[in-house]
């Protein structure tokens, strides 16, 4: 391969993969035939044309009919998986409080029967929301999700209304954002059951069990574990997102689910940073939080790269694809 061809192939990587599969060899042949003899680098005009052409195609993609179909299916995936994200968030705390209640009984000022009942009902609501969404009863699921969101918001705001201020807005927003996002997805998405079929019921349940078990163990043992254990759920999320990012449907699903899962997976990291900055007037926790996020991003990029290499290795050779 000549230097000129190598440079052209690098520029052609700017185009979407399916476009390259159909037109890369033809475009490369035209470019090589038009190049001056002995040229080692592309002409600046060719570079500008290739970059502008790739940008035009990618800008048209989000509003193309195919892209709109992907967004519709991605909304179904997000509506089906969103309630599971909330179950992963709620279950560890509820399980710990129920366990304490069973072992010690009610403790005035610490743990009451009403609190335990409320936690258990919160879990049951989102189990019901998940089952209803997976069976295409999305209006009932959306109604339960909105009712739970309103109840949670009132439960957070009313007891502290005497000291309410703008400083409470960020924590309240982080807590309520996943619930509002899931309720909106269920309200606006038809046939969320199709989202389960697109991902695969077995795959969803396996990853749900992994996340639920991991976060529960970490929350139950957090007193004896270092804060770096928060990297485990963050890393798992990065792996799943990296695997999903290899497909148009997966990328769009990540975007739609981000308001639901980002506050969940970043809660521990943000707590570390905020407690260090405001509670201890130190930047140690802030530095550790930045390190955790950077590590998760590295895991995400590595997963995208390794998944892409595995797919490329499993693809048929170019000659076979033409047969």
């Amino acid at each position: 391969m000549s230097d000129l061809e190598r440079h052209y192939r690098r520029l052609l990587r700017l185009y979407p993969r399916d476009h390259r599969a159909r037109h890369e060899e033809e475009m490369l042949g035209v470019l090589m035939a038009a190049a001056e003899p002995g040229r080692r680098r592309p002409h600046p005009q060719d570079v500008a044309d290739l970059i502008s052409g790739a940008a035009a195609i990618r800008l048209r993609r989000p509003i193309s009919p195919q892209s709109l179909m992907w967004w519709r299916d991605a909304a179904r995936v997000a509506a089906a998986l969103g309630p599971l994200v909330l179950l992963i968030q709620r279950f560890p705390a509820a399980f710990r409080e129920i366990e304490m209640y069973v072992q010690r009984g009610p403790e005035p000022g610490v743990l009451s029967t009403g609190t335990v009942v409320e936690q258990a009902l919160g879990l049951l609501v989102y189990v019901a929301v998940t089952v209803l969404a997976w069976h295409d009863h999305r209006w009932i699921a959306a109604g339960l999700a909105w009712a739970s969101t309103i109840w949670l918001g009132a439960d957070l705001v009313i007891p502290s209304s005497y000291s309410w201020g703008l400083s409470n807005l960020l924590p309240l927003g982080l807590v309520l954002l996943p619930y509002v996002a899931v309720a909106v997805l269920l309200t606006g998405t038809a046939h969320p059951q199709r989202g389960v079929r697109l991902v695969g019921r077995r795959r969803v349940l396996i990853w749900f069990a992994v996340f639920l078990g991991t976060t529960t163990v970490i929350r139950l043992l957090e007193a004896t574990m270092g804060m770096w254990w928060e990297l485990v759920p963050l890393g798992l999320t990065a792996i799943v997102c990296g695997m999903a990012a290899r497909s148009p449907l997966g990328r769009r699903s990540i975007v739609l689910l981000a308001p639901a899962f980002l506050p969940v997976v970043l809660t521990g990291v943000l707590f570390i940073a905020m407690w260090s900055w405001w509670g201890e007037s130190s930047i140690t926790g802030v530095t550790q939080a930045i390190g955790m996020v950077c590590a998760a991003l590295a895991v995400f990029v590595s997963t995208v790269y390794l998944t892409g290499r595995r797919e490329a290795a499993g693809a048929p050779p170019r000659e076979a694809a033409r047969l």
Side-chain angles (χ1 to χ4, degrees), residues 145-186:
W146 280 115
S148 177
T149 303
I150 294 169
W151 177 271
L152 178 62
D155 196 36
L156 291 172
V157 172
I158 293 175
S160 58
S161 58
Y162 64 91
S163 60
W164 178 254
L166 291 177
S167 60
N168 305 101
L169 190 60
L170 178 60
L172 180 65
L174 286 174
V175 172
L176 290 181
L177 179 60
Y179 295 89
V180 174
V182 171
V184 169
L185 283 169
L186 289 169

Side-chain angles (χ1 to χ4, degrees), residues 11 14-15 45-60:
L11 288 168
L14 297 172
Y15 288 79
Q45 184 62 46
D46 291 337
V47 174
D49 290 342
L50 288 171
I51 293 175
S52 61
I57 289 175
R58 289 192 177 274
L59 288 174
R60 287 197 300 268

Side-chain angles (χ1 to χ4, degrees), residues 73-78 80-81 191-200 204:
D73 284 342
R76 290 167 174 163
V77 171
L81 301 187
H191 307 298
Q193 185 183 50
R194 176 171 166 78
V196 182
R197 293 200 299 267
L198 287 169
V199 180
V204 171

Side-chain angles (χ1 to χ4, degrees), residues 78-157:
L81 301 187
L84 295 180
V85 175
L86 300 184
L87 277 173
I88 293 170
Q89 180 189 26
R90 295 186 69 111
F91 184 80
F95 181 80
R96 183 170 54 184
E97 290 192 359
I98 293 172
E99 182 188 39
M100 291 174 57
Y101 184 85
V102 171
Q103 291 178 350
R104 308 176 188 176
E107 298 182 22
V110 178
L111 188 64
S112 65
T113 303
T115 302
V116 174
V117 171
E118 185 178 354
Q119 290 278 19
L121 286 176
L123 287 179
L124 291 176
V125 164
Y126 276 94
V127 170
V129 168
T130 303
V131 172
L132 290 167
W134 284 28
H135 287 82
D136 268 351
H137 302 299
R138 58 129 173 173
W139 288 116
I140 304 176
L144 281 176
W146 280 115
S148 177
T149 303
I150 294 169
W151 177 271
L152 178 62
D155 196 36
L156 291 172
V157 172

